[in-house]
């Protein structure tokens, strides 16, 4: 039979529209537990390995699965899930197959214009498979990319060209632990200057290219717009935010639904001290900014709610009013942050080594290293109410 298919873009669009979707993931339990598609309250995801699906027990396995929803079968590459969809048809369940499977889902990358009062045009990129967010800032005929992913460096160049701009800077907010940075690739393939916070350099950066460092209070000029450098340590010692007009790119320091986890640089032994540093940063640096400041983080989770413009951003005033963690005393904050940290990102030590420049995995290996959910927030649940 001809199995109907849908693309990763189409699946993500259905989830974003709030359609009720049932995802039947036919990979093995280990692969499923490590990484699978989530999508909030309207998405039900179940793991039924392909071998189990093709047994006589399939009816009992499907009893509690809502098959009156839009049903999508998923595997690693789209082949086994195609067979699974055909098998489900024999039981009266019309299922669509996700083309290219989880590999295709990993390459889904969408850009959404961010509305602000800044004179610059800002695009927020999001990678649903990992929750990573990046940004293109275009001012006049120049552009800067903040927190680029290596897998999508061609996309940033293309989008800048379409807007009549050349890339002047490629900037990281910190040494990332969950994805491979695209800063060096962009600097090597364009005239863009790689920029690293000086405090992040102190962790042992060994780039094979020239790069510039920036410190708190520095300003980068991009097409008439100013990119202000704000040191915001806590998640890491080098964590640095960048402000363009009323938009603050907070990296992993502050999200729209949570705050940073503090243990990825110095481990559990240093987590309490890092949490206290994060508290000081949030209370005395970030929260000192106007309530109208737009927080544009480097990650979003399934519990994050998009803003009216469709981006995963929020005003500082809204976060101040809704996020309990921002109203706690220092001791309460530290205890709370350390009490519910999720598992560390997969392969985070190798990813950090790669982003420092001390490891150099080939493209295929690098992509495999970063597959999976982001776990850079202090809690897997929303901290907002």
């Amino acid at each position: 039979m001809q199995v109907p298919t849908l693309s990763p873009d189409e699946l993500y669009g259905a989830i974003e529209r709030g359609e009720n979707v049932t995802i039947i993931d036919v990979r093995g339990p280990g692969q499923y537990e490590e990484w699978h598609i989530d999508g909030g309250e309207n998405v039900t995801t179940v793991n039924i390995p392909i071998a189990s699906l093709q047994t006589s027990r399939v009816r009992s396995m499907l009893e509690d699965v809502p098959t009156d929803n839009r049903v999508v079968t998923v595997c690693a590459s789209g082949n086994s899930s195609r067979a699974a969809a055909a098998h489900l048809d024999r039981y009266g369940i019309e299922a669509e197959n996700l083309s290219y499977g989880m590999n295709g889902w990993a390459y889904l990358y969408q850009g959404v214009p961010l509305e602000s009062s800044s004179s610059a045009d800002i695009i927020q990129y999001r990678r649903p498979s990992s929750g990573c967010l990046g940004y293109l800032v275009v001012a006049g005929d120049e552009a800067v990319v903040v927190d680029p992913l290596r897998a999508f460096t061609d996309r940033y160049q293309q989008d800048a060209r379409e807007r009549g701009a050349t890339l002047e800077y490629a900037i990281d907010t910190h040494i990332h632990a969950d994805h491979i940075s695209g800063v060096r690739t962009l600097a090597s393939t364009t005239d863009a200057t790689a920029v690293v916070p000086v405090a992040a350099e102190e962790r042992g950066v060994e780039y094979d290219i020239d790069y510039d460092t920036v410190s708190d209070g520095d300003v980068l000029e991009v097409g008439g717009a100013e990119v202000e450098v704000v040191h915001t340590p806590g998640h890491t010692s080098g964590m640095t935010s960048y402000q363009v007009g009323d938009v603050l790119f907070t990296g992993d320091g502050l999200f729209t639904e949570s705050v940073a986890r503090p243990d990825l640089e110095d481990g559990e032994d240093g987590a309490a001290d890092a949490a206290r540093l994060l508290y000081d940063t949030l209370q005395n640096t970030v929260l000192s900014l106007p309530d109208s400041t737009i927080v544009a983080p480097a990650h979003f989770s399934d519990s994050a709610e998009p803003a009216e413009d469709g981006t995963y951003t929020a005003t500082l005033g809204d976060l101040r009013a809704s996020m309990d963690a921002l109203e706690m005393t220092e001791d309460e904050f530290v205890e709370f942050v350390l009490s519910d940290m999720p598992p560390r990102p997969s392969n985070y030590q190798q990813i950090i080594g790669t982003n420092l420049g001390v490891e150099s995995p080939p493209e295929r290996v690098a992509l495999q290293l970063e597959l999976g959910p982001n776990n850079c927030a202090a809690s897997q649940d929303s901290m907002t109410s």
Side-chain angles (χ1 to χ4, degrees):
M1 63 167 289
Q2 186 69 32
V3 174
T5 63
L6 80 167
S7 68
D9 269 313
E10 291 170 329
L11 175 59
Y12 187 68
I15 292 173
E16 286 289 282
R17 289 190 301 272
E19 289 187 30
N20 292 322
V21 178
T22 295
I23 296 173
I24 299 179
D25 191 319
V26 301
R27 295 173 299 157
Q31 291 176 302
Y32 175 82
E33 288 299 327
E34 184 176 343
W35 178 46
H36 58 268
I37 298 173
D38 286 314
E41 295 180 357
N42 60 307
V43 177
T44 300
T45 304
V46 294
N47 180 215
I48 306 179
I50 184 67
S52 299
L53 192 63
Q54 294 174 337
T55 68
S56 59
R57 295 184 293 112
V58 62
R59 286 194 183 278
S60 62
M61 299 173 73
L62 294 170
E63 282 180 357
D64 297 324
V65 176
T67 54
D68 52 342
N69 292 348
R70 186 172 188 175
V71 178
V72 180
T73 54
V74 177
C75 68
S77 63
N79 293 323
S80 295
S81 54
R82 184 183 300 109
H87 194 75
L88 288 171
D89 184 70
R90 301 169 192 168
Y91 293 89
I93 300 172
E94 184 176 336
E96 299 168 276
N97 179 43
L98 181 66
S99 57
Y100 303 107
M102 294 300 290
N103 293 336
W105 187 250
Y107 274 106
L108 179 61
Y109 203 55
Q110 297 191 324
V112 179
L114 191 162
E115 296 180 5
S116 75
S117 63
S118 170
S119 60
D121 292 328
I122 303 175
I123 304 297
Q124 182 187 73
Y125 297 99
R126 59 181 177 231
R127 189 183 194 183
S129 64
S130 64
C132 288
L133 298 171
Y135 300 88
L136 177 70
V137 180
V138 179
D141 60 357
E142 295 181 342
V144 55
V145 185
V146 180
D147 286 335
L149 276 65
R150 191 168 101 176
F152 302 99
T153 51
D154 289 345
R155 173 69 179 275
Y156 311 125
Q157 297 176 60
Q158 176 186 329
D159 287 356
R161 282 195 301 268
E162 289 179 354
R163 290 163 175 78
T166 57
L167 292 179
E168 293 297 310
Y169 296 103
I171 300 175
D172 269 337
T173 53
H174 64 296
I175 302 300
H176 293 277
D178 66 304
H179 68 263
I180 307 300
S181 167
V183 162
R184 282 184 292 162
T185 301
L186 285 169
S188 299
T189 57
T190 72
D191 292 330
T193 299
V195 175
V196 178
V198 67
E201 181 191 37
E202 295 169 0
R203 291 184 66 181
V205 169
E206 296 182 16
Y207 284 0
D208 54 0
I209 60 167
D210 293 332
Y211 63 93
D212 288 351
T213 58
V214 290
S215 300
D216 186 65
D218 287 348
V219 175
L220 300 173
E221 298 283 346
V222 179
E226 293 188 339
V227 181
E228 301 175 47
V229 180
V230 185
H231 187 213
T232 51
H235 174 63
T236 65
S237 58
M239 181 69 238
T240 297
S241 300
Y242 301 92
Q243 186 163 9
V244 179
D246 60 339
V247 180
L248 183 70
F249 303 107
T250 55
D252 290 3
L254 175 63
F255 310 109
T256 63
E257 72 281 24
S258 185
V259 298
R261 66 184 301 160
D263 66 325
L264 294 181
E265 183 173 344
D266 292 326
E268 293 182 5
D269 291 342
D273 288 340
R276 294 187 185 281
L277 183 58
L278 176 62
Y279 180 84
D280 180 71
T281 289
L282 293 174
Q283 294 296 323
N284 298 314
T285 300
V286 176
L287 291 175
S288 69
L289 297 172
D291 280 353
S292 58
T293 302
I294 297 172
V295 172
H299 289 294
F300 72 103
S301 70
D302 291 330
S303 61
E305 293 290 337
E308 290 184 4
D309 64 1
T311 62
Y312 285 95
T313 59
T315 66
L316 196 55
D318 285 344
L319 293 184
R320 192 195 308 270
S322 65
M323 192 176 293
D324 294 340
L326 300 181
E327 297 297 322
M328 295 176 178
T329 66
E330 181 176 313
D331 287 343
E332 290 171 338
F333 179 88
V334 172
E335 181 180 0
F336 182 72
V337 166
L338 298 181
S339 67
D340 188 33
M341 287 188 294
R344 290 171 181 166
S346 299
N347 308 309
Y348 77 100
Q349 292 176 316
Q350 289 173 275
I351 292 173
I352 290 173
T354 301
N355 288 333
L356 286 171
V358 299
E359 296 187 31
S360 302
E363 192 71 31
R364 181 183 61 81
V365 175
L367 178 65
Q368 291 298 315
L369 286 176
E370 64 184 13
L371 293 182
N374 92 78
N375 285 323
C376 290
S379 173
Q380 299 185 71
D381 300 317
S382 174
M383 291 185 178
T384 58
S385 57

